[in-house]
Amino acid sequence: MSNNGGGGPCGACKFLRRKCVKSCVFAPYFDSDQGTTHFAAVHRVFGASNTSKLLFRVPPHRRLDAVVSLCYEALSRVRDPVYGCVANIFSLQQQVINLQEELTYIRARISMLQQSPLFLSTISIVPFEHAKSEQTSLVLPECSNNDDTLIRPEPEENDLEMLARDFLTKYVSTN
């Protein structure tokens, strides 16, 4: 990753303005290009001494994971000094909660559609973001023939498939 073999300092040594030695613990993980900015964040949050001590305590085959974690936390702390990467975790947890609510809503709608075939041909699907704020009422059309017996329209076979396809297309396209 570094130009240490070619004589140039690694990103950490470049930031610290020191000569990069062959046994530099930072050289494999902080290249001379982007490594300088990443190490600057790590240095600002953790310090060079603490980072090198930590890397020496980690087995060599796990050091890359440790450096990636240190960089992620340091860059998060630079952006948000109070919460750091915990802000990202909170945001992701809120997204999970929102998606679970939406999934519960969609499952309930599908269940309702499956239980009453009348809904398949008469219901209009309200997007989830509007469903929370609007009270939706379902009006069931009933037609009567000449002898006053109720006639219910036959559901179309593809309505449930179209609902599922629309739901999947909405979320597959955003991923």
Side-chain angles (χ1 to χ4, degrees):
M1 274 179 113
S2 74
N3 293 336
N4 198 14
C10 69
C13 292
K14 188 185 288 188
F15 177 81
L16 297 171
R17 297 180 183 185
R18 66 180 189 193
K19 184 177 179 185
C20 190
V21 295
K22 195 171 193 171
S23 62
C24 177
V25 71
F26 302 122
Y29 312 107
F30 296 99
D31 62 359
S32 59
D33 296 329
Q34 285 188 333
T36 305
T37 57
H38 289 166
F39 186 78
V42 170
H43 180 266
R44 181 175 173 188
V45 174
F46 301 106
S49 178
N50 289 334
T51 304
S52 67
K53 288 176 190 175
L54 183 124
L55 289 177
F56 278 121
R57 282 190 231 139
V58 174
H61 68 282
R62 302 294 295 174
R63 286 183 184 167
L64 180 60
D65 294 333
V67 169
V68 169
S69 296
L70 286 170
C71 288
Y72 183 77
E73 175 62 31
L75 292 170
S76 295
R77 282 274 171 204
V78 168
R79 273 186 305 242
D80 186 350
V82 175
Y83 291 107
C85 70
V86 174
N88 297 342
I89 293 169
F90 287 152
S91 173
L92 291 172
Q93 284 175 336
Q94 190 59 47
Q95 285 179 10
V96 167
I97 290 168
N98 291 341
L99 289 172
Q100 285 172 337
E101 287 175 359
E102 187 169 355
L103 184 60
T104 301
Y105 170 78
I106 293 295
R107 283 182 176 159
R109 295 289 294 226
I110 289 172
S111 175
M112 193 168 51
L113 289 172
Q114 287 174 334
Q115 290 174 5
S116 180
L118 177 61
F119 288 118
L120 287 173
S121 61
T122 61
I123 195 169
S124 65
I125 304 301
V126 179
F128 179 74
E129 51 274 0
H130 301 299
K132 283 185 174 179
S133 61
E134 296 177 4
Q135 288 292 348
T136 57
S137 62
L138 301 174
V139 178
L140 305 177
E142 294 179 346
C143 304
S144 60
N145 59 11
N146 293 339
D147 59 354
D148 290 331
T149 57
L150 294 178
I151 300 172
R152 292 189 176 178
E154 286 297 316
E156 290 191 27
E157 207 171 285
N158 294 330
D159 284 344
L160 189 57
E161 290 176 16
M162 287 178 15
L163 172 65
R165 192 175 305 113
D166 289 343
F167 178 74
L168 290 174
T169 317
K170 178 180 176 184
Y171 292 103
V172 171
S173 65
T174 60
N175 291 335

